[in-house]
Amino acid sequence: MALYCIGDLQGCNAPFQQLLEKIGFSPSRDTLFLLGDLVNRGPDSLGTLRSLMALGDAAQCLLGNHDLHLLALSQGVRPPGRHDTVNDILQARDRHELLDWLRHRPLAMHHHGWLMVHAGVLPQWSSAQTLALASEVEGALRGPDLKGFLNAMYGNTPCEWQDGLQGTDRLRVIVNALTRLRFCTAQGAMEFGSNEGAGSAPEGYMPWFEVSGRATQDTLIMFGHWSTLVADAHRHTGLRNHVLPLDTGCVWGGCLTAAKLGIGGAFELIQVDCEQAQVPGK
C-alpha cells in the first residue's frame, strides 16, 4: 500500500492521469490525498471531478478556494470570472452528483503524521484546533442553508483570529486561513493582496509558515495554493520549517507533483511536466 499527496490539479486532468500512470497507482491498494483546487483555470475541470469521484475512497480530497468558488457559482451567489473554466461542470448532466460530492469534502486532514491543508494555518492554531475549526465550516457546507453560507463567506474581514468570534465572522476567518492564506503578521493578521514568492512579503508580513513560535511549528504540514513557491518544491528534497509546498504550477506550465509518503516524515517527490493551460494570475 502506497500513500501519495498531490498538489493543485485545477482542472488539468491529462497530467493527473499521466502522474497516476507514472506512480503505478492502484485504487484497490493505494491512497491519494489531494490538496484542494481540484478545478478551474485548467482545460478539463469536468473530467477531473469525474476522475476523482470514480476513485472512491482511494482519493481523499480537500477543498480549495477555486472549489468553493465553483460551489458559489452553482448557487448563484457569485458571478463567473473571466478566467473560469468550470462551465462544463455547471452544464453537465451529472452536475448535482458532482457538486454534492464536492460540498462533502473536508478543509483539513491529518494522515500518516502530516497535517494537510490547501493554503495555510494561522500561528495560534494547533493541529487539533485546525481540524476542529475546519469541521465547523464543513458542517455549514453540508447543512441546509448552503446558499446562505456561501453568500456570507466572501470578504477579507475579520483579518485575524479571535477565540470569541462567532457566526459568519468566525467561519469566514477559518475559510480564509485554510483556503487563501499566504502572508500574515507575527500576530496572525492575514494579508490577501500579494501572491508572489515568499521573499516578496509586504512590510510587516511574512509567509505563514515562517512565524516564530507558531503552534504547529513541530507539525509536518503539506499545502498547495502557492504556486510561486514552485522553486522550493523543485529544489528541496528535505523540509524547511516542517512544511512541504506541493502546488508546483501545473496549470501555469510547471509540473504536477506527488509526494510519496514514507516513515517518520520521509517523502519522495514524483513529477510530470505540464503544458501551460492558463495565463499567469491566481
Side-chain angles (χ1 to χ4, degrees):
M1 180 184 75
L3 305 176
Y4 301 92
C5 198
I6 298 178
D8 303 32
L9 296 179
Q10 293 202 242
C12 296
N13 193 38
F16 178 48
Q17 299 305 320
Q18 293 166 12
L19 184 57
L20 294 184
E21 182 176 355
K22 185 171 183 177
I23 65 179
F25 181 76
S26 170
S28 64
R29 179 193 64 215
D30 305 324
T31 302
L32 301 174
F33 301 102
L34 286 298
L35 295 179
D37 276 4
L38 311 174
V39 300
N40 209 14
R41 301 297 176 85
D44 191 8
S45 291
L46 177 59
T48 300
L49 273 195
R50 286 176 175 167
S51 294
L52 292 169
M53 283 188 64
L55 291 174
D57 291 340
Q60 302 292 317
C61 304
L62 290 175
L63 290 172
N65 52 300
H66 282 284
D67 309 312
L68 292 172
H69 177 63
L70 170 58
L71 290 174
L73 288 174
S74 73
Q75 294 293 312
V77 301
R78 294 290 283 185
R82 185 161 57 97
H83 298 299
D84 285 349
T85 61
V86 293
N87 197 49
D88 53 354
I89 297 173
L90 298 174
Q91 294 184 350
R93 66 182 186 280
D94 53 345
R95 64 165 272 164
H96 296 295
E97 292 84 357
L98 293 166
L99 294 169
D100 189 63
W101 176 86
L102 193 64
R103 70 184 287 199
H104 283 83
R105 298 311 96 197
L107 274 81
M109 299 185 287
H110 191 279
H111 291 282
H112 206 62
W114 291 87
L115 177 62
M116 303 173 188
V117 297
H118 175 61
V121 178
L122 287 175
Q124 302 97 321
W125 296 352
S126 66
S127 178
Q129 186 177 12
T130 300
L131 294 168
L133 294 174
S135 71
E136 293 183 27
V137 177
E138 292 157 17
L141 283 167
R142 301 165 190 177
D145 189 19
L146 175 62
K147 184 173 183 177
F149 165 73
L150 293 169
N151 193 50
M153 180 181 69
Y154 288 92
N156 294 338
T157 58
C159 68
E160 57 187 314
W161 175 253
Q162 299 290 337
D163 288 336
L165 285 173
Q166 297 181 357
T168 56
D169 282 351
R170 181 181 179 90
L171 295 178
R172 191 181 303 117
V173 172
I174 299 169
V175 168
N176 283 342
L178 294 177
T179 69
R180 298 178 62 203
L181 177 61
R182 292 186 178 96
F183 297 111
C184 66
T185 66
Q187 294 73 38
M190 296 179 281
E191 192 276 340
F192 299 112
S194 305
N195 61 5
E196 300 302 321
S200 63
E203 185 176 356
Y205 294 86
M206 66 195 76
W208 64 266
F209 49 82
E210 293 185 357
V211 174
S212 178
R214 61 183 169 88
T216 53
Q217 65 181 1
D218 296 322
T219 301
L220 294 172
I221 302 177
M222 287 190 185
F223 65 99
H225 184 60
W226 203 343
S227 62
T228 44
L229 292 178
V230 62
D232 288 339
H234 277 291
R235 286 197 303 265
H236 295 289
T237 56
L239 293 173
R240 187 178 69 184
N241 299 321
H242 285 81
V243 301
L244 180 65
L246 281 179
D247 180 2
T248 47
C250 179
V251 76
W252 314 123
C255 62
L256 185 63
T257 299
K260 184 177 182 180
L261 306 186
I263 298 173
F267 61 89
E268 173 191 359
L269 295 182
I270 306 161
Q271 300 175 324
V272 295
D273 292 330
C274 306
E275 294 183 2
Q276 186 166 354
Q278 256 290 0
V279 295
K282 192 170 180 178

